[in-house]
Structures are given as structure tokens and as C-alpha cells.
Amino acid sequence: MAIKTQQERFEELMAGYQPQIAAEKAAVTDLYAAQKKEAEKNYQISAEKTARTYDEQERDNAVQRLVNEHQIRADMEASGLSDSGFNRTQQTAVQLSYANQKAKIGRVRQQAIDGLTVALAQQLAKIDQAQVAALADIDADYHKAANSAAVDLYQADLKAETDRIKANLQAETDRLKAENDRIKAQTALLKTQASNQKEKDSIIKTNDGLLSYDFKGTLQENGVAVYYYTDKQMNKKTKYVDQNSGKTTVVDRWVNPFTTAEPNKDLFGPEGQYDPSRAFSNGYQPNNINGKKLTKVGTIDFTATLGRTQNVFQTSDGKFWVWSGKTNRYVSAVRKDGKWTLA
């Protein structure tokens, strides 16, 4: 999942701060507007006070001129020189003194007013500067707060995303491990079942034990290999190897591995020695009954019980026989309705 960048977080926070920023700036603007208004009011008061002061000086100067002119006239009249050139000279001097004083008062007055104006301008400039700085501080403070918060939020988002990815990876790892464990357990179970099934299906359960007769088909079809050999003592042996159970049984050639019954007497000669010529290829099934040779005349169907057919033999006396591996002897057979069956 994509997370917002630090810049995106910053912009979101600044957008959210705008009402507060606007309110604080409005308050600052009002504050400095009030200061400017107060400064202008004070300037107006000072200017009016200064004007009154210099108006009084101008009135005093005018009064002094009148007093001086009256005094000159009185003195000249007393001396009989009211219309003399000296009188006019003195009058001119008084007028000039008045004019000079008035000009001086005007200059000083203007200087005072100019000083007040400059002071007001300077004060207003300072207020403007202070207002600009205060507004800039508001922006800077909120920028700093937004930047700090953006860093925290981005780091929190990054950690949350990292934790989420780690959790997902751990969950996936756990799932894969659980699946792997399940597969291993299933495999082990299948192996055990297969082994058990093999053991169950095996014909040789223990080494040198009897071969089970309850199987369908041939030994080879059921995984049992048969080896014929002669040992060091020149004894003819038969070895049965069960590839399912891994077990092996070794017997003398004339021994039927399916039963504990005595070897069939028709395998042995007059002197009691084993005669391979009296046996079929498996070595323990005689090819005669009481010396009468067996001739194959058909097959009997044992597929329902043994999964195979067996040969039906006839002896020279006209009797029919089928070999019973379980009892290690031939049993009588008859033909009924065109089929061979045990008598």
C-alpha cells in the first residue's frame, strides 16, 4: 500500500492550519492597525499642541509689536517728532523686528511639525516592520509545526507500512511453513500408509517364514522373486525375496513354502532321495501321483478366489487332479456343464 510522502503530509497540514493562520494574522493586523491609529492620534494631539504653542508666540510677537509702536509714538509725540524721519525709522525697525520674529517662529514651528511628522513616519514604519515580522513569524511557526508533524506522520506511516509488510511476510512465512509441515506430515503419512500397505500386501511377513497363500495372481505379480540355486554343500535351494516387505525365505527345493506339511512323497525316489525329475519347475510340486505321470487336460478357474487359473491334470487311470498349494497335495476334480470344478 502506497503511503503519503512527507511533502504531501506537510501540504495537508498547512491546508488544515489555514483557518488558524488567517485568524492569527487578522488579530495581528488589527493589533498593529490599532497601534498605527494610536500613533496618528498622538501625532495629531502633539501637532495641535505645538501649533497652539507657536500661535501664542505669534500673538505675543504681534502684541509686542503693537506695544513697541505705541511706545514709539508716545515718545515721539512727547518730543514733538511724531512725523519725523526718526519716528518712521523706529517704526520700520519695530516692523522689521516683528517680521523677523514671526519668520523665526514660523521656521521653528515648521521644524517642530516636521519633527513630529518624521517621528510619526518612523513610528509607523516600525509598526509596519513589526507587523510584517509578526505575520512572518506566524507563517514560520506554522511551517515549522507542519514540517515537524509531517515528519512524525511520515515516519509513523513508514513504520506502520513496514510493520504491515513484515506481518504479511511473517504470515506468509508461517503459512508456507504450515503448508510445508502439512505436506511433510501428509508425505510421511502416505509413506507410512504405503509401507503399511506394502507390509499388509506382502507375502513374506518375516525372514524364513511361510509365504502367505491368500493372494491373487502370481508371486511375480505380487513382488516376490524366486531364485533357484545350489549351495556350497550341493544342496538344492529355493530363495523367495519379497520386494514389498524386504523379507526373504530360503527352503530346500522340495519344500512347499506355503505350508508346514511334509514334502510330497511323490518327489522322492525308491531310496528316499529327492529327484528333481519327479517335480515341476517350482521343485516342490510333483509331476506324478504314486508314480503315475500327470498329463495336462485343461484349466480350472480360480480367478474369483486366487486371481488366477490352475492346470487340471489326468493320470493314466482316468482320474483328474488339481494341485492344492495350501495342503501340498493333489485334489480330485470333475467336469460339470463343460467346466472344471473340485470334486
Side-chain angles (χ1 to χ4, degrees):
M1 181 182 70
I3 62 174
K4 293 180 180 179
T5 65
Q6 185 174 323
Q7 181 62 29
E8 288 173 334
R9 284 294 193 181
F10 172 79
E11 291 173 357
E12 284 183 352
L13 288 165
M14 285 302 299
Y17 290 155
Q18 288 309 308
Q20 296 168 257
I21 293 173
E24 290 190 23
K25 284 187 174 183
V28 166
T29 300
D30 290 345
L31 173 65
Y32 285 102
Q35 290 183 7
K36 290 170 73 174
K37 187 175 181 180
E38 183 66 20
E40 290 170 347
K41 179 181 177 182
N42 291 337
Y43 165 78
Q44 189 63 34
I45 292 172
S46 296
E48 291 176 355
K49 183 177 179 180
T50 299
R52 285 196 301 271
T53 298
Y54 286 101
D55 285 345
E56 291 176 0
Q57 290 183 13
E58 287 184 347
R59 284 195 297 272
D60 290 343
N61 185 38
V63 170
Q64 186 60 46
R65 183 194 66 178
L66 293 175
V67 170
N68 290 338
E69 288 178 346
H70 178 72
Q71 184 63 44
I72 291 171
R73 281 196 300 271
D75 290 342
M76 290 300 103
E77 287 177 357
S79 303
L81 300 173
S82 58
D83 194 28
S84 66
F86 180 69
N87 179 43
R88 288 193 296 273
T89 298
Q90 285 186 318
Q91 289 292 342
T92 299
V94 169
Q95 185 65 31
L96 182 59
S97 175
Y98 164 75
N100 288 338
Q101 185 63 23
K102 181 177 181 180
K104 180 179 179 182
I105 292 171
R107 287 195 305 274
V108 174
R109 174 179 180 160
Q110 188 59 48
Q111 289 174 353
I113 295 298
D114 289 346
L116 291 174
T117 301
V118 170
L120 174 62
Q122 291 175 341
Q123 188 174 3
L124 292 177
K126 286 182 180 180
I127 292 172
D128 286 338
Q129 290 174 356
Q131 179 177 345
V132 170
L135 294 175
D137 286 343
I138 292 173
D139 285 333
D141 289 343
Y142 276 98
H143 272 72
K144 182 178 179 180
N147 190 60
S148 178
V151 170
D152 292 342
L153 288 172
Y154 175 72
Q155 292 296 331
D157 288 345
L158 190 61
K159 184 178 183 302
E161 180 65 7
T162 300
D163 291 344
R164 185 188 68 80
I165 292 173
K166 285 183 178 179
N168 288 345
L169 288 175
Q170 186 61 49
E172 181 64 11
T173 299
D174 293 343
R175 187 191 68 78
L176 291 174
K177 183 178 182 301
E179 180 65 13
N180 188 51
D181 291 343
R182 186 191 67 77
I183 292 173
K184 284 183 178 179
Q186 183 68 17
T187 302
L189 177 62
L190 292 174
K191 284 183 178 179
T192 300
Q193 291 176 340
S195 177
N196 291 341
Q197 189 62 39
K198 278 187 175 183
E199 185 67 25
K200 182 180 178 182
D201 294 340
S202 64
I203 292 176
I204 304 176
K205 308 295 184 183
T206 60
N207 286 324
D208 292 326
L210 290 177
L211 276 64
S212 172
Y213 194 74
D214 298 326
F215 67 92
K216 291 185 177 183
T218 65
L219 288 176
Q220 184 178 6
E221 289 171 347
N222 284 272
V224 176
V226 182
Y227 303 94
Y228 301 101
Y229 68 98
T230 302
D231 66 12
K232 293 180 180 179
Q233 286 75 37
M234 302 304 292
N235 298 313
K236 294 183 181 298
K237 298 286 185 178
T238 304
K239 182 177 183 180
Y240 301 90
V241 179
D242 192 327
Q243 297 171 347
N244 288 320
S245 66
K247 306 301 182 181
T248 300
T249 291
V250 177
V251 296
D252 289 324
R253 184 76 53 82
W254 57 84
V255 173
N256 183 339
F258 297 105
T259 180
T260 58
E262 290 293 326
N264 192 285
K265 62 181 180 60
D266 292 325
L267 296 172
F268 300 92
E271 296 181 2
Q273 78 280 10
Y274 172 67
D275 184 355
S277 67
R278 292 174 176 263
F280 285 111
S281 61
N282 58 24
Y284 60 83
Q285 179 182 343
N287 58 16
N288 68 95
I289 297 177
N290 295 324
K292 298 182 175 101
K293 279 289 184 180
L294 295 170
T295 303
K296 178 182 175 181
V297 293
T299 58
I300 188 170
D301 188 0
F302 287 147
T303 55
T305 56
L306 300 178
R308 60 185 180 272
T309 60
Q310 285 190 205
N311 293 328
V312 178
F313 299 98
Q314 184 179 16
T315 51
S316 58
D317 58 6
K319 295 180 179 179
F320 301 102
W321 309 92
V322 175
W323 175 251
S324 172
K326 225 173 186 182
T327 60
N328 201 39
R329 65 186 179 88
Y330 284 100
V331 295
S332 297
V334 294
R335 189 172 181 83
K336 290 181 181 180
D337 300 326
K339 293 182 179 180
W340 290 103
T341 183
L342 296 177

